[in-house]
């Protein structure tokens, strides 16, 4: 796959000793308190600049004006029903995004909370599809230090300076606390799923402090990786001559972000658990009939550590102890009263009132001594409800039950008693990569840190069981409809073309749906089996700004991470899409780009996504274009299925999804207008680049189709389906000859075969099909010299001609070396596409070019001199660094690079035999294919180019 010696790019190495004194590092090297050699680092006093968003040009705005009007009307229509539209470019967040993000908390799929590198808890993603970005400033860690001599006392919130929202010190709220930390001698070190904050003599010059944040993201662990919990382990080293009493304080507001703490009805409750674990439960009543949430903040009492709590304090002091009074108590005594554990449940909060709680852990640290104090946070909302009525149990309820109270206590207990085991597993996973001296250092920690999205990307992980329906939900109504007709089967693998199933003249206002007859049965893919082990159902958003679950054209890039680390989840997602291919939803939808209407889900077409407000039941939330006419989704499905089949060797999976593969392939026949085996694009943006028009044969979609034909033929051969193996091989041979004749220009493949001004543009993603073929162990689609020539052209033009390779690969570049300004997307640099291109280079022995290409994303997005996109990597940015769509799925494609460097055993050790050579077709068919390459291709008179009917010629 790759050569043994990898090119050493400039290291971008940030040795810990450049940020933390060597003495402090040595002293903290106890129980993991010292940060790792490779990590992303920032000083806590670093400026968190406001990020700059992209803007469209005047001409782009003119072209999209009609779409903009329809989209604005649709957004308003959804808002009138209390729903957020999947794409809403008009509504701005209250909190402007800034370069302040850090490693998020918790496992996957149970709601997430992010924590900035300066310590603020923000980006609350507890309710599916809803993200509250603003930090809750009451949520803090603080420290109080007093020395035996009595002369020295220190107290401070362990976050630097005064943050936005803090008022005058004279009030009774959190502004009255001591915000004494400058951050000058404090640093943050991130290596997902862990982070270290080192306080090197702040606020006490004779006290070294390490806070280690640990979350249970553990590859191949399908239990603990679902837990909504995190641990904060403080390592304290006293370098002074006097014994120090150190009290650490964790404060937490009864809130899920935004203004949720003002809604009323919330209450707090102290608890004492097993094994010295004690703390406070914060029971939160959510708005709009969403399931409740219970937070648990706790510390572990040991022989040397004493834990006390204050179950309730407020900001005003009217009904409860005020924040100022709470702080004064800690400053004076260093602990709360033990009697507070007997307080019981507090009175529910009134509207506009903020309830907070505090847990204190106190210890004595001897001169030159050390001590460890552990806190934990858990949040339990066992049920996840979507806006159109379906409610599911989260994955962790399989192990902790559905009671918010008991599960929250058990979660925080297990976090405090198991975190060392979690760390052992995390280190086993990460060490081989971190210790590989052949790899650039920036790559090592960026590889792990890009995984933040699997926690912070709005993930939902259910127990896999069918949902509970509310009587108002569309799924309930469909299930109980007496007028319904059962969904048709596609077992014969013949499906109608998209245009036969769509009435473009049937106009509907603003994406509105018309009620039509539906199946009496539950949608079949809800009841699909995941093979021998049910690991539940998994959803993740395309991005926090594009609220669609499991967007498939983007999952194509991101899925390498799941396949490598959680392959059972990846197979579960593919099973969902396989079942969706065979399903039809005839509800009507209006498409906003052209104002036409069609049915929501066409049988045989791979859905764009699994929905927004009713996932699995109401697919294709994306309604800009009719994606049943897109040319990339079906080939991407076939390629992903084959890659997963080849990587896992799971024959049961292969047999189960094979009917859907056949249906998806046959569906594409309608787009082969001239019966030459190759699909054509239809003069609109009918692929993942949904603002970039394509005419005729395209390098991107055509290449995906060629790779899909080869993958389908090989899979058919391995499954013993000889007729289909022969059919797809014959089509591949025909299509390949046409593709090369139409697009190859001697050094790369043209953007498309049309006559537009950008038809000869150099597309960075032109070899996406070959990338997947190589990643799946399939033979090359083209001659190796053509592949390397095209990749070299991309490197020299799309990468190196944009600020010397320090930005990534621009999507489109003209042959004259100018950025393709055809549309918004042609001039953008897409982070995930750049990682995919880099992976393709690695697969073809171009390590030097591959790492420099990917390094551009690091330099622009993650480095200290970049634009500030760490832990919020966007879909893309312009050549001046302005972002579009933060916190996006596609950058997980960096794991395709690791896949290229370390292929799975099933692919690496597979027999080096070209299975395509074992598929025999008749000599006459071979000769017919050979004639294509030596004669001009003439259209068959029996084929009508505009026809949407399948051609049998």
């Amino acid at each position: 796959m790759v050569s043994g010696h990898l090119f050493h790019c400039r290291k971008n190495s940030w040795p810990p000793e450049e940020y933390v004194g060597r003495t402090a590092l040595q002293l903290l090297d106890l129980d993991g308190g010292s940060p790792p050699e490779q990590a992303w680092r920032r000083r806590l006093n670093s400026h968190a600049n406001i990020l700059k968003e992209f803007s469209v040009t005047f001409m782009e705005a003119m072209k999209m004006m009609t779409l903009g009007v329809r989209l604005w009307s649709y957004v308003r229509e959804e808002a009138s029903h209390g729903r957020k539209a999947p794409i809403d470019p008009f509504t701005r967040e209250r909190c402007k995004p800034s370069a302040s993000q850090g490693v998020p908390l918790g496992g996957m799929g149970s709601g997430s909370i992010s924590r900035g590198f300066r310590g603020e808890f923000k980006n609350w993603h507890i309710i599916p599809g809803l993200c509250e970005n603003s930090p809750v400033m009451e949520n803090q860690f603080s420290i109080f230090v007093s020395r035996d001599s009595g002369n020295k006392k220190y107290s401070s919130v362990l976050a630097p300076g005064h943050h936005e929202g803090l008022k005058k010190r004279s009030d009774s709220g959190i502004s009255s606390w001591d915000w004494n930390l400058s951050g000058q001698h404090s640093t943050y070190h991130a290596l997902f799923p862990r982070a270290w904050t080192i306080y090197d003599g702040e606020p006490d010059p004779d006290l070294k402090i390490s806070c280690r944040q640990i979350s249970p993201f553990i590859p191949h662990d399908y239990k603990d990786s679902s837990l909504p919990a995190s641990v904060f382990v403080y390592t304290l080293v006293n370098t002074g001559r006097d014994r120090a009493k150190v009290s650490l304080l964790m404060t937490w507001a009864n809130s899920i972000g935004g203004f949720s703490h003002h809604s009323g009805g919330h209450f707090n409750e102290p608890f004492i658990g097993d094994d010295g674990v004690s703390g406070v439960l914060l029971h939160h009543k959510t708005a709009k009939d969403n399931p409740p949430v219970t937070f648990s903040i706790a510390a572990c009492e040991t022989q040397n550590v004493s834990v006390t709590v204050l179950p309730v304090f407020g900001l005003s002091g009217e009904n409860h102890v005020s924040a100022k009074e709470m702080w004064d108590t800690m400053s004076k005594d260093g602990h709360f009263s033990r009697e507070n554990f007997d307080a019981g449940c507090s009175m529910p909060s009134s509207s506009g009132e903020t309830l907070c709680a505090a847990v204190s852990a106190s210890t004595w640290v001897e001169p030159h001594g050390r001590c460890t104090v552990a806190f934990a946070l858990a949040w339990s909302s066992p049920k996840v409800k979507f806006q159109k009525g379906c409610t599911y149990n989260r994955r962790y309820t399989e192990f902790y039950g559905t009671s918010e109270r008991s599960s929250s206590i058990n979660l925080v207990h297990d976090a405090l008693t198991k975190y060392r085991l979690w760390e052992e597993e995390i280190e086993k996973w990460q060490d081989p990569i971190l210790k590989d001296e052949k790899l650039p250092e920036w790559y090592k920690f960026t590889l792990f840190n890009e995984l933040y999205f699997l926690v912070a990307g709005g993930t939902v992980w259910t127990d896999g069981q069918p949902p509970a329906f509310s009587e108002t939900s569309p799924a309930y109504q469909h299930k109980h409809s007496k007028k319904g007709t059962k969904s048709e089967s596609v077992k014969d693998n013949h499906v109608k073309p998209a245009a036969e199933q769509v009435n473009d003249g049937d106009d509907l206002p603003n994406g509105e749906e018309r009620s039509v007859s539906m199946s009496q049965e539950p949608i079949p893919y809800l009841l699909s089996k995941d093979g021998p082990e049910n690991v539940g159902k998994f959803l993740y958003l395309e991005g926090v700004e594009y609220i669609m679950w499991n967007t498939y054209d983007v999952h194509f890039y991101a899925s390498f991470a799941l396949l490598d680390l959680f392959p059972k989840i990846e197979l579960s997602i593919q099973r969902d899409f396989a079942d969706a291919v065979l399903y039809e939803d005839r509800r009507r939808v209006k498409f906003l780009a052209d104002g036409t209407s069609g049915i929501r889900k066409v049988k045989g077409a791979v859905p764009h996504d699994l929905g927004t407000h009713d996932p699995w039941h109401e697919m294709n939330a994306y309604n800009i274009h009719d994606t049943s006419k897109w040319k990339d989704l079906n080939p991407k499905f076939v390629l992903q299925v084959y890659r997963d089949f080849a990587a896992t060797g799971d024959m049961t999976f292969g047999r189960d999804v094979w009917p859907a593969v056949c249906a998806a392939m046959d569906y594409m026949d309608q787009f082969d207008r001239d019966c030459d085996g190759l699909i054509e694009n239809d003069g609109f943006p009918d692929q993942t680049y949904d603002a970039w028009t394509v005419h005729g044969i395209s390098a991107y979609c055509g290449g995906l189709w060629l790779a899909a034909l080869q993958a389908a033929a090989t899979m058919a051969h391995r499954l013993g389906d000889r007729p289909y193996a022969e059919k797809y091989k014959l089509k591949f041979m025909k299509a390949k000859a046409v593709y090369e004749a139409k697009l190859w220009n001697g050094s790369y493949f043209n953007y498309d075969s049309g006559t537009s001004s950008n038809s000869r543009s150099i597309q960075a993603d032109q070899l996406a099909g070959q990338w997947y073929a190589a990643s799946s162990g399939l033979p090359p689609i083209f001659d190796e010299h053509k592949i390397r020539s095209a990749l070299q052209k991309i490197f020299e033009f799309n990468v190196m001609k944009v600020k010397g390779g320090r930005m990534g690969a621009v999507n489109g570049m003209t042959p004259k070396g100018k950025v393709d300004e055809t549309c918004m997307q042609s001039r953008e640099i897409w982070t995930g596409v750049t990682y995919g291109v880099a992976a393709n280079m690695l697969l073809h022995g171009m390590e030097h070019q591959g790492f420099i290409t990917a390094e551009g994303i690091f330099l622009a997005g993650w480095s200290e001199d970049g634009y500030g996109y760490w832990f919020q990597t966007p879909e893309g940015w312009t050549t001046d660094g302005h972002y579009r769509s933060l916190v996006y799925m596609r950058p997980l494609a960096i794991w395709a690079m690791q896949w290229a460097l370390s292929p799975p055993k099933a692919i690496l050790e597979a027999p080096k035999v070209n299975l395509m050579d074992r598929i025999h077709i008749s000599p006459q068919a071979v000769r017919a294919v050979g004639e294509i390459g030596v004669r001009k291709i003439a259209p068959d008179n029996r084929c009508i180019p505009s026809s949407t009917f399948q051609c049998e010629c």
Side-chain angles (χ1 to χ4, degrees), residues 108-364:
M108 298 187 297
S110 298
S112 68
I113 306 164
S114 291
R115 193 177 185 217
F117 73 85
R118 296 185 299 187
E120 63 271 36
F121 293 87
K122 58 202 298 184
N123 288 31
W124 300 75
H125 222 140
I126 306 298
I127 296 172
L130 177 64
C131 183
E132 293 286 356
N133 294 323
S134 301
V136 176
M137 295 306 296
E138 294 82 0
N139 299 350
Q140 299 290 345
F141 286 99
S142 303
I143 192 167
F144 304 83
V145 184
S146 60
R147 298 267 172 184
D148 262 356
S149 62
N151 298 328
K152 299 178 181 178
K153 294 188 74 172
Y154 304 91
S155 61
S156 181
V157 178
L158 289 174
H162 281 250
H163 287 247
E164 183 181 351
L166 297 180
K167 301 176 184 177
K168 297 180 180 178
R169 287 181 57 88
S170 59
D171 71 13
S172 59
I174 63 173
S175 298
S176 64
W177 296 355
D178 297 329
W179 298 81
N180 295 329
L181 199 79
S182 72
Q184 181 180 357
H185 301 292
S186 301
T187 52
Y188 181 82
H189 311 254
L191 186 65
F192 179 89
R194 296 189 291 174
W196 292 253
T197 306
I198 308 298
Y199 307 90
D200 191 359
E202 286 192 277
D204 181 345
D206 292 327
L207 189 66
K208 311 296 184 184
I209 309 166
S210 167
C211 174
R212 189 164 84 259
Q213 173 187 312
I214 308 153
S215 292
F217 184 96
I218 304 165
H220 307 286
D221 185 333
Y222 297 88
K223 177 185 176 183
D224 286 359
S225 295
S226 72
L227 304 185
S230 283
V231 180
F232 306 89
V233 182
Y234 281 85
T235 302
L236 310 170
V237 180
N238 182 6
T239 61
R241 297 179 179 179
D242 300 316
R243 191 169 67 139
K245 181 183 180 182
V246 181
S247 296
L248 290 161
L249 177 71
M250 182 181 188
T251 53
W252 201 259
N254 198 325
S255 171
I256 57 171
F259 298 106
S260 60
H261 48 291
H262 289 162
S263 58
H266 319 306
F267 64 97
N268 297 351
E269 173 191 5
F271 75 93
I272 297 177
D274 297 332
D275 301 314
V277 175
S278 54
V280 181
L281 301 175
L282 298 90
H283 304 284
H284 187 86
K285 180 182 178 182
T286 58
K288 298 181 180 179
D289 199 31
N290 282 303
V293 184
T294 294
F295 292 94
S296 177
I297 58 172
C300 192
E301 188 159 276
T302 66
Q303 185 176 357
N304 301 318
V305 178
S306 174
V307 176
T308 57
V309 302
L310 182 63
V312 180
F313 70 89
L315 301 184
S316 64
E318 293 179 4
N319 300 319
H320 307 284
V321 172
S322 71
K324 183 178 187 303
E325 291 169 330
M326 181 278 299
W327 189 268
D328 290 344
T329 298
M330 285 298 300
S331 296
K332 177 185 175 184
D333 302 329
H335 59 84
F336 301 114
S337 170
R338 296 288 300 183
E339 294 177 357
N340 289 343
F341 282 113
D342 301 322
C345 294
S346 69
M347 293 294 292
S349 63
S350 56
S351 179
E353 181 183 20
T354 301
L355 289 188
C356 303
V359 175
S360 167
S362 304
T363 187
W364 286 93

Side-chain angles (χ1 to χ4, degrees), residues 872-891:
Q872 53 188 332
T873 316
E875 157 74 309
W877 46 68
T878 57
T879 54
D880 56 3
H882 294 189
Y883 75 88
R884 181 168 64 81
S885 186
L886 293 171
V887 191
Y888 197 77
M889 180 197 294
R890 205 182 319 246

Side-chain angles (χ1 to χ4, degrees), residues 663-724:
M665 293 296 291
D666 288 352
Y667 181 85
M668 297 301 292
D669 285 346
Q670 63 187 297
F671 303 122
D672 179 7
R673 313 297 188 194
D674 51 10
C675 302
D676 60 3
L678 194 61
I679 60 173
E680 290 89 38
N681 292 80
D682 284 328
F684 75 100
D686 48 356
Q687 25 89 39
T688 194
Y689 300 91
D690 57 351
W692 198 358
T693 297
V694 195
H695 298 275
I697 298 168
S698 80
Y700 182 69
C701 295
L704 290 170
W705 176 241
L706 286 179
L709 287 168
Q710 181 175 241
T714 305
M715 189 169 180
H717 177 77
R718 292 182 63 174
L719 294 174
D721 191 338
R722 181 176 175 181
Y724 268 91

